[in-house]
Protein backbone atom coordinates (compact mmCIF):
# COMPACT_ATOMS: atom_id res chain seq x y z
CA UNK A 1 0.00 0.00 0.00
CA UNK A 2 1.16 3.52 -0.80
CA UNK A 3 0.36 6.15 1.84
CA UNK A 4 -0.51 9.70 0.83
CA UNK A 5 1.28 12.60 2.48
CA UNK A 6 1.00 16.39 2.38
CA UNK A 7 3.09 19.22 3.77
CA UNK A 8 1.91 22.48 5.31
CA UNK A 9 4.87 24.84 5.39
CA UNK A 10 7.23 24.43 2.42
CA UNK A 11 10.16 26.38 3.83
CA UNK A 12 13.51 25.14 5.13
CA UNK A 13 12.72 21.96 7.05
CA UNK A 14 9.60 21.37 5.00
CA UNK A 15 11.43 21.24 1.66
CA UNK A 16 14.13 23.81 0.87
CA UNK A 17 17.03 22.36 2.89
CA UNK A 18 17.06 19.46 0.45
CA UNK A 19 18.98 21.81 -1.87
CA UNK A 20 21.84 22.18 0.64
CA UNK A 21 24.68 20.20 -0.99
CA UNK A 22 26.41 19.50 2.34
CA UNK A 23 23.49 17.99 4.21
CA UNK A 24 22.90 14.27 4.43
CA UNK A 25 19.82 13.35 2.39
CA UNK A 26 16.95 13.23 2.94
CA UNK A 27 16.97 16.15 5.37
CA UNK A 28 13.41 17.52 5.01
CA UNK A 29 9.84 16.31 5.31
CA UNK A 30 9.38 16.40 1.54
CA UNK A 31 12.69 14.66 0.92
CA UNK A 32 11.83 11.90 3.38
CA UNK A 33 8.40 11.28 1.87
CA UNK A 34 9.82 11.34 -1.65
CA UNK A 35 12.56 8.84 -0.71
CA UNK A 36 10.35 6.30 1.04
CA UNK A 37 8.96 3.48 -1.15
CA UNK A 38 5.62 3.37 0.68
CA UNK A 39 4.87 7.12 0.77
CA UNK A 40 3.99 9.66 -1.91
CA UNK A 41 3.51 13.42 -1.68
CA UNK A 42 0.18 14.56 -3.08
CA UNK A 43 -0.09 18.22 -1.94
CA UNK A 44 1.71 21.19 -0.44
CA UNK A 45 0.65 24.39 1.26
CA UNK A 46 2.45 27.63 2.05
CA UNK A 47 1.39 31.26 2.39
CA UNK A 48 4.40 32.25 0.24
CA UNK A 49 3.69 31.69 -3.48
CA UNK A 50 7.41 31.61 -4.31
CA UNK A 51 7.94 28.73 -1.92
CA UNK A 52 5.03 26.90 -3.50
CA UNK A 53 6.54 27.35 -6.95
CA UNK A 54 9.84 25.95 -5.70
CA UNK A 55 8.03 23.06 -3.99
CA UNK A 56 6.26 22.26 -7.27
CA UNK A 57 9.53 22.34 -9.17
CA UNK A 58 11.41 20.15 -6.69
CA UNK A 59 8.79 17.44 -6.22
CA UNK A 60 6.58 17.71 -9.31
CA UNK A 61 3.46 18.40 -7.24
CA UNK A 62 0.48 20.21 -8.76
CA UNK A 63 -1.90 20.28 -5.78
CA UNK A 64 -0.74 23.56 -4.23
CA UNK A 65 -2.55 25.74 -1.69
CA UNK A 66 -2.08 28.94 0.27
CA UNK A 67 -4.94 28.01 2.65
CA UNK A 68 -4.32 24.81 4.62
CA UNK A 69 -8.03 24.33 5.29
CA UNK A 70 -8.63 24.03 1.57
CA UNK A 71 -5.94 21.35 1.36
CA UNK A 72 -7.53 19.42 4.23
CA UNK A 73 -10.97 19.59 2.64
CA UNK A 74 -9.91 18.39 -0.80
CA UNK A 75 -7.64 15.42 -0.13
CA UNK A 76 -7.56 12.14 1.73
CA UNK A 77 -4.28 12.29 3.61
CA UNK A 78 -2.62 9.53 5.63
CA UNK A 79 0.37 11.54 6.87
CA UNK A 80 0.43 15.32 7.30
CA UNK A 81 3.58 17.34 8.02
CA UNK A 82 3.25 20.69 9.75
CA UNK A 83 6.41 22.76 9.25
CA UNK A 84 5.03 26.26 9.80
CA UNK A 85 5.88 28.94 12.33
CA UNK A 86 5.32 27.73 15.90
CA UNK A 87 2.45 30.13 16.49
CA UNK A 88 0.35 28.21 13.95
CA UNK A 89 1.03 24.67 15.17
CA UNK A 90 -1.94 24.30 17.51
CA UNK A 91 -4.65 25.54 15.14
CA UNK A 92 -3.42 23.40 12.25
CA UNK A 93 -2.92 20.27 14.35
CA UNK A 94 -6.39 20.55 15.87
CA UNK A 95 -8.06 21.16 12.48
CA UNK A 96 -6.14 18.27 10.93
CA UNK A 97 -7.09 15.93 13.77
CA UNK A 98 -10.73 16.89 13.43
CA UNK A 99 -10.44 16.03 9.73
CA UNK A 100 -9.50 12.49 10.73
CA UNK A 101 -5.90 12.42 9.51
CA UNK A 102 -4.25 9.27 10.95
CA UNK A 103 -0.72 10.66 11.48
CA UNK A 104 0.44 14.24 12.03
CA UNK A 105 4.18 14.97 12.01
CA UNK A 106 4.60 18.40 13.60
CA UNK A 107 7.83 20.35 13.79
CA UNK A 108 9.41 21.19 17.11
CA UNK A 109 8.92 22.90 19.49
CA UNK A 110 5.39 21.68 19.89
CA UNK A 111 3.77 25.05 20.63
CA UNK A 112 4.09 28.50 22.21
CA UNK A 113 2.38 27.50 25.46
CA UNK A 114 1.73 24.45 27.59
CA UNK A 115 -2.01 25.03 27.29
CA UNK A 116 -1.91 25.08 23.49
CA UNK A 117 0.29 21.97 23.51
CA UNK A 118 -2.17 20.19 25.78
CA UNK A 119 -5.05 21.19 23.49
CA UNK A 120 -3.19 19.64 20.54
CA UNK A 121 -2.61 16.39 22.41
CA UNK A 122 -6.24 16.25 23.57
CA UNK A 123 -7.62 16.85 20.06
CA UNK A 124 -5.44 14.10 18.60
CA UNK A 125 -6.38 11.66 21.34
CA UNK A 126 -10.08 12.37 20.78
CA UNK A 127 -9.83 11.76 17.03
CA UNK A 128 -7.49 8.76 17.25
CA UNK A 129 -4.72 10.68 15.48
CA UNK A 130 -1.08 9.92 16.19
CA UNK A 131 0.81 13.15 16.91
CA UNK A 132 4.58 12.94 16.34
CA UNK A 133 6.85 15.86 17.26
CA UNK A 134 9.90 16.03 15.01
CA UNK A 135 12.64 15.55 17.59
CA UNK A 136 14.38 13.61 14.87
CA UNK A 137 17.41 12.55 16.93
CA UNK A 138 15.12 9.99 18.57
CA UNK A 139 15.12 8.26 15.18
CA UNK A 140 18.83 8.71 14.40
CA UNK A 141 20.86 5.50 14.08
CA UNK A 142 23.83 6.85 16.07
CA UNK A 143 21.71 8.10 18.98
CA UNK A 144 19.78 4.84 19.04
CA UNK A 145 23.01 2.84 19.06
CA UNK A 146 24.47 4.95 21.88
CA UNK A 147 21.38 4.31 23.96
CA UNK A 148 21.78 0.57 23.36
CA UNK A 149 25.43 0.75 24.50
CA UNK A 150 24.39 2.62 27.63
CA UNK A 151 21.67 0.07 28.39
CA UNK A 152 24.16 -2.80 28.08
CA UNK A 153 26.44 -1.09 30.61
CA UNK A 154 29.33 0.13 28.41
CA UNK A 155 29.83 3.22 30.60
CA UNK A 156 28.27 1.85 33.77
CA UNK A 157 25.46 3.75 35.44
CA UNK A 158 24.82 7.26 34.09
CA UNK A 159 25.76 9.94 36.62
CA UNK A 160 25.43 13.14 34.60
CA UNK A 161 24.88 14.54 31.11
CA UNK A 162 26.32 17.86 29.98
CA UNK A 163 24.57 19.38 26.98
CA UNK A 164 25.63 22.29 24.77
CA UNK A 165 23.73 24.06 22.03
CA UNK A 166 26.07 26.88 21.03
CA UNK A 167 24.93 29.45 18.48
CA UNK A 168 25.23 33.04 17.44
CA UNK A 169 23.22 35.77 19.13
CA UNK A 170 19.54 36.22 18.20
CA UNK A 171 18.80 38.74 15.48
CA UNK A 172 17.84 42.23 16.62
CA UNK A 173 14.08 42.45 17.06
CA UNK A 174 13.57 38.76 17.90
CA UNK A 175 10.46 38.59 20.11
CA UNK A 176 9.12 35.80 22.30
CA UNK A 177 5.51 36.49 21.27
CA UNK A 178 6.43 35.25 17.79
CA UNK A 179 9.39 32.93 18.42
CA UNK A 180 8.52 31.71 21.93
CA UNK A 181 12.15 31.99 23.03
CA UNK A 182 15.73 31.92 21.80
CA UNK A 183 18.15 29.10 21.11
CA UNK A 184 17.28 27.24 24.31
CA UNK A 185 13.80 26.71 22.87
CA UNK A 186 14.39 26.39 19.13
CA UNK A 187 17.49 24.21 18.96
CA UNK A 188 17.72 23.42 22.65
CA UNK A 189 14.46 21.48 22.49
CA UNK A 190 16.46 18.66 20.84
CA UNK A 191 18.99 18.78 23.67
CA UNK A 192 16.36 18.74 26.42
CA UNK A 193 14.50 15.92 24.66
CA UNK A 194 17.71 13.87 24.56
CA UNK A 195 18.09 14.27 28.33
CA UNK A 196 14.77 12.45 28.74
CA UNK A 197 15.65 9.94 26.03
CA UNK A 198 18.99 8.88 27.48
CA UNK A 199 18.00 8.98 31.17
CA UNK A 200 14.60 7.28 30.74
CA UNK A 201 13.37 9.70 33.38
CA UNK A 202 11.43 12.92 33.90
CA UNK A 203 12.63 16.23 35.28
CA UNK A 204 12.09 16.84 39.00
CA UNK A 205 13.40 20.39 39.38
CA UNK A 206 15.53 22.94 37.52
CA UNK A 207 17.77 25.87 38.38
CA UNK A 208 18.88 28.29 35.67
CA UNK A 209 20.22 31.68 34.64
CA UNK A 210 20.26 33.73 31.45
CA UNK A 211 21.39 36.97 29.85
CA UNK A 212 19.47 39.31 27.54
CA UNK A 213 20.17 42.55 25.69
CA UNK A 214 17.92 45.54 24.94
CA UNK A 215 17.59 44.72 21.24
CA UNK A 216 15.89 41.36 21.70
CA UNK A 217 12.96 39.99 23.68
CA UNK A 218 14.31 36.47 24.20
CA UNK A 219 17.38 35.15 25.99
CA UNK A 220 20.82 35.79 24.50
CA UNK A 221 22.41 32.98 26.51
CA UNK A 222 21.00 30.49 29.02
CA UNK A 223 22.43 27.85 31.31
CA UNK A 224 20.98 25.58 33.93
CA UNK A 225 20.72 22.30 35.80
CA UNK A 226 17.95 19.73 35.51
CA UNK A 227 17.63 17.16 38.28
CA UNK A 228 15.97 14.05 36.87
CA UNK A 229 13.72 11.95 39.09
CA UNK A 230 16.14 9.01 38.91
CA UNK A 231 18.96 11.15 40.32
CA UNK A 232 20.85 11.92 37.10
CA UNK A 233 21.95 15.55 36.86
CA UNK A 234 21.78 17.23 33.46
CA UNK A 235 23.34 20.59 32.67
CA UNK A 236 22.68 22.77 29.66
CA UNK A 237 24.38 25.74 28.02
CA UNK A 238 22.55 27.45 25.17
CA UNK A 239 23.11 30.39 22.86
CA UNK A 240 25.94 32.88 22.93
CA UNK A 241 27.77 35.17 20.53
CA UNK A 242 29.67 32.53 18.64
CA UNK A 243 30.37 32.44 14.93
CA UNK A 244 29.72 28.69 14.82
CA UNK A 245 27.03 26.16 15.67
CA UNK A 246 27.66 23.23 18.01
CA UNK A 247 25.37 20.54 19.38
CA UNK A 248 26.88 18.12 21.90
CA UNK A 249 25.90 15.71 24.67
CA UNK A 250 28.65 14.53 27.04
CA UNK A 251 27.32 11.49 28.92
CA UNK A 252 29.31 10.44 32.01
CA UNK A 253 28.83 7.09 33.71
CA UNK A 254 30.46 5.23 36.60
CA UNK A 255 32.82 3.38 34.22
CA UNK A 256 33.10 5.55 31.14
CA UNK A 257 31.90 8.35 28.96
CA UNK A 258 30.21 8.84 25.55
CA UNK A 259 30.21 12.11 23.63
CA UNK A 260 27.71 12.46 20.80
CA UNK A 261 26.63 15.42 18.72
CA UNK A 262 26.86 17.00 15.30
CA UNK A 263 29.83 15.24 13.74
CA UNK A 264 30.92 13.79 17.10
CA UNK A 265 30.84 10.20 18.36
CA UNK A 266 33.42 9.17 20.97
CA UNK A 267 33.57 6.46 23.63
CA UNK A 268 35.88 6.33 26.64
CA UNK A 269 36.37 3.60 29.24
CA UNK A 270 37.99 3.64 32.66
CA UNK A 271 41.53 2.18 32.76
CA UNK A 272 44.43 2.16 35.21
CA UNK A 273 46.04 5.59 35.12
CA UNK A 274 49.28 6.14 33.24
CA UNK A 275 49.98 9.22 35.35
CA UNK A 276 49.00 8.49 38.98
CA UNK A 277 49.30 5.37 41.12
CA UNK A 278 45.94 4.26 42.49
CA UNK A 279 43.89 6.33 40.04
CA UNK A 280 42.06 5.58 36.81
CA UNK A 281 41.80 7.61 33.59
CA UNK A 282 39.33 7.66 30.75
CA UNK A 283 40.87 6.16 27.62
CA UNK A 284 39.23 6.56 24.21
CA UNK A 285 38.08 3.33 22.57
CA UNK A 286 37.29 2.57 18.96
CA UNK A 287 33.56 3.00 18.50
CA UNK A 288 31.90 -0.19 17.19
CA UNK A 289 30.28 -0.26 13.76
CA UNK A 290 26.49 -0.16 13.68
CA UNK A 291 23.69 -0.35 11.08
CA UNK A 292 23.05 3.10 9.65
CA UNK A 293 20.16 4.82 7.91
CA UNK A 294 19.37 8.52 7.93
CA UNK A 295 17.14 9.71 10.75
CA UNK A 296 14.38 11.00 8.47
CA UNK A 297 14.09 7.61 6.74
CA UNK A 298 14.05 5.86 10.13
CA UNK A 299 11.23 8.21 11.09
CA UNK A 300 9.32 7.35 7.93
CA UNK A 301 9.76 3.63 8.69
CA UNK A 302 8.30 4.30 12.14
CA UNK A 303 5.32 6.13 10.64
CA UNK A 304 4.60 3.29 8.20
CA UNK A 305 5.02 0.76 11.01
CA UNK A 306 2.40 2.63 13.00
CA UNK A 307 -0.02 2.76 10.07
CA UNK A 308 0.37 -0.97 9.46
CA UNK A 309 0.84 -2.36 12.97
CA UNK A 310 -0.12 0.45 15.39
CA UNK A 311 3.39 0.47 16.88
CA UNK A 312 3.80 3.78 18.73
CA UNK A 313 6.98 5.61 17.60
CA UNK A 314 9.61 7.12 19.88
CA UNK A 315 8.53 10.77 19.72
CA UNK A 316 4.93 11.57 20.55
CA UNK A 317 2.99 14.69 21.41
CA UNK A 318 3.59 13.95 25.08
CA UNK A 319 7.37 13.95 24.49
CA UNK A 320 7.04 17.34 22.81
CA UNK A 321 5.04 18.63 25.76
CA UNK A 322 7.58 17.37 28.30
CA UNK A 323 10.46 19.04 26.44
CA UNK A 324 8.58 22.36 26.31
CA UNK A 325 7.72 22.08 30.01
CA UNK A 326 11.39 21.65 31.00
CA UNK A 327 12.49 24.56 28.79
CA UNK A 328 9.82 26.84 30.24
CA UNK A 329 10.83 25.71 33.74
CA UNK A 330 14.41 26.78 32.94
CA UNK A 331 13.14 30.17 31.74
CA UNK A 332 11.01 30.64 34.87
CA UNK A 333 13.95 29.71 37.07
CA UNK A 334 16.21 32.24 35.35
CA UNK A 335 13.56 34.97 35.48
CA UNK A 336 12.54 34.37 39.13
CA UNK A 337 16.01 33.43 40.41
CA UNK A 338 14.64 30.35 42.14
CA UNK A 339 14.46 26.59 41.83
CA UNK A 340 11.41 25.48 39.81
CA UNK A 341 9.73 22.14 40.36
CA UNK A 342 8.00 19.98 37.77
CA UNK A 343 5.16 19.76 36.76
CA UNK A 344 4.38 23.33 35.78
CA UNK A 345 0.85 24.74 35.84
CA UNK A 346 -0.81 24.32 32.43
CA UNK A 347 -1.33 27.91 31.30
CA UNK A 348 -1.49 29.86 28.05
CA UNK A 349 1.31 32.18 29.14
CA UNK A 350 4.97 32.42 28.19
CA UNK A 351 7.68 32.80 30.89
CA UNK A 352 8.93 35.96 29.20
CA UNK A 353 5.58 37.60 29.97
CA UNK A 354 6.98 38.00 33.50
CA UNK A 355 10.38 39.29 32.37
CA UNK A 356 9.24 41.87 29.84
CA UNK A 357 6.07 43.05 31.59
Amino acid sequence: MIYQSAIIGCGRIGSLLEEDPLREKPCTHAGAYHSHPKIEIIAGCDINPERLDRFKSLWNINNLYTDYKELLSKHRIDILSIATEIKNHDDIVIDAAQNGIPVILCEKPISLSLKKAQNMITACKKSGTLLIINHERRFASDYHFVKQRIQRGDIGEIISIHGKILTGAPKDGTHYKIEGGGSLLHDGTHLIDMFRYFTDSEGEWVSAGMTTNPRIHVEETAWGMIQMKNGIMCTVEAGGKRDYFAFELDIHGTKGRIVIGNGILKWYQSRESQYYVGFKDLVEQEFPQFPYQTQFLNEMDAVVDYLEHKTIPQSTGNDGYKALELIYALYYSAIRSEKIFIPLPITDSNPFDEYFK
Side-chain angles (χ1 to χ4, degrees):
M1 179 175 180
I2 301 298
Y3 298 101
Q4 296 187 331
S5 68
I7 299 169
I8 300 174
C10 301
R12 286 169 55 80
I13 194 63
S15 175
L16 295 178
L17 287 178
E18 214 66 39
E19 297 183 280
D20 183 339
L22 296 180
R23 288 181 184 257
E24 182 180 54
K25 307 297 188 300
C27 60
T28 63
H29 293 257
Y33 293 145
H34 182 76
S35 300
H36 200 280
K38 288 192 173 184
I39 303 174
E40 65 175 354
I41 310 171
I42 63 166
C45 176
D46 200 287
I47 59 175
N48 185 329
E50 292 181 1
R51 286 183 178 176
L52 280 181
D53 288 342
R54 191 65 194 143
F55 185 82
K56 177 181 180 178
S57 175
L58 284 170
W59 311 112
N60 193 28
I61 304 299
N62 292 315
N63 297 314
L64 304 173
Y65 303 90
T66 56
D67 182 347
Y68 78 87
K69 292 185 178 181
E70 185 178 3
L71 183 155
L72 295 178
S73 68
K74 289 188 174 180
H75 300 279
R76 182 191 66 79
I77 301 165
D78 300 303
I79 313 161
L80 178 70
S81 278
I82 298 172
T84 65
E85 293 182 332
I86 313 168
K87 63 181 182 180
N88 299 318
H89 285 182
D90 57 313
D91 285 341
I92 301 175
V93 165
I94 291 170
D95 286 343
Q98 291 174 347
N99 271 269
I101 293 176
V103 178
I104 297 173
L105 176 53
C106 181
E107 265 305 315
K108 54 74 192 173
I110 184 172
S111 187
L112 286 178
S113 78
L114 294 177
K115 180 62 175 178
K116 287 182 172 65
Q118 191 60 59
N119 290 343
M120 293 161 64
I121 293 168
T122 299
C124 288
K125 184 177 181 180
K126 184 177 180 180
S127 67
T129 296
L130 172 67
L131 176 60
I132 301 173
I133 302 303
N134 193 35
H135 285 126
E136 70 263 20
R137 285 173 178 82
R138 283 181 175 256
F139 301 96
S141 297
D142 49 353
Y143 284 80
H144 181 67
F145 186 72
V146 164
K147 184 166 183 176
Q148 288 181 324
R149 305 299 292 192
I150 291 171
Q151 289 173 332
R152 59 174 270 174
D154 281 10
I155 62 170
E157 181 182 347
I158 296 180
I159 301 298
S160 63
I161 305 178
H162 307 287
K164 298 177 183 178
I165 176 68
L166 308 178
T167 66
K171 294 180 181 179
D172 287 358
T174 303
H175 203 291
Y176 73 91
K177 287 189 179 296
I178 298 173
E179 301 292 339
S183 60
L184 177 61
L185 177 64
H186 283 269
D187 295 302
T189 183
H190 289 295
L191 200 70
I192 301 302
D193 182 63
M194 284 294 98
F195 288 161
R196 295 183 60 248
Y197 177 74
F198 282 126
T199 64
D200 287 317
S201 187
E202 303 295 343
E204 184 174 14
W205 57 263
V206 311
S207 180
M210 69 178 185
T211 64
T212 61
N213 76 55
R215 300 183 301 278
I216 60 174
H217 282 75
V218 297
E219 83 282 3
E220 186 172 60
T221 62
W223 59 91
M225 299 183 297
I226 302 173
Q227 175 70 52
M228 307 304 284
K229 288 183 177 179
N230 61 3
I232 298 172
M233 178 60 72
C234 300
T235 63
V236 57
E237 179 187 1
K241 300 178 180 179
R242 299 168 175 85
D243 64 352
Y244 58 87
F245 178 88
F247 183 99
E248 180 180 300
L249 288 152
D250 193 349
I251 307 167
H252 286 258
T254 54
K255 297 180 180 180
R257 170 191 179 203
I258 291 177
V259 184
I260 185 170
N262 288 12
I264 304 169
L265 187 56
K266 296 183 177 182
W267 171 37
Y268 303 82
Q269 281 196 319
S270 175
R271 295 287 187 266
E272 292 297 326
S273 176
Q274 302 178 44
Y275 312 106
Y276 310 104
V277 174
F279 284 81
K280 290 187 175 182
D281 300 325
L282 288 174
V283 179
E284 187 171 359
Q285 311 294 306
E286 183 178 354
F287 215 98
Q289 296 293 314
F290 55 90
Y292 186 81
Q293 180 175 261
T294 65
Q295 55 201 31
F296 256 116
L297 284 180
N298 286 336
E299 194 168 10
M300 294 304 101
D301 285 344
V303 168
V304 170
D305 194 38
Y306 170 79
L307 288 169
E308 295 181 348
H309 306 293
K310 298 302 178 185
T311 305
I312 303 299
Q314 299 180 70
S315 184
T316 64
N318 186 63
D319 293 309
Y321 179 93
K322 292 290 187 179
L324 182 66
E325 181 179 43
L326 280 171
I327 291 165
Y328 275 16
L330 289 164
Y331 282 147
Y332 278 123
S333 177
I335 291 166
R336 298 175 184 175
S337 298
E338 64 183 28
K339 184 184 292 186
I340 300 293
F341 288 86
I342 309 297
L344 296 182
I346 301 175
T347 70
D348 206 20
S349 61
N350 183 292
F352 286 109
D353 288 333
E354 294 184 9
Y355 190 79
F356 293 107
K357 60 185 177 182

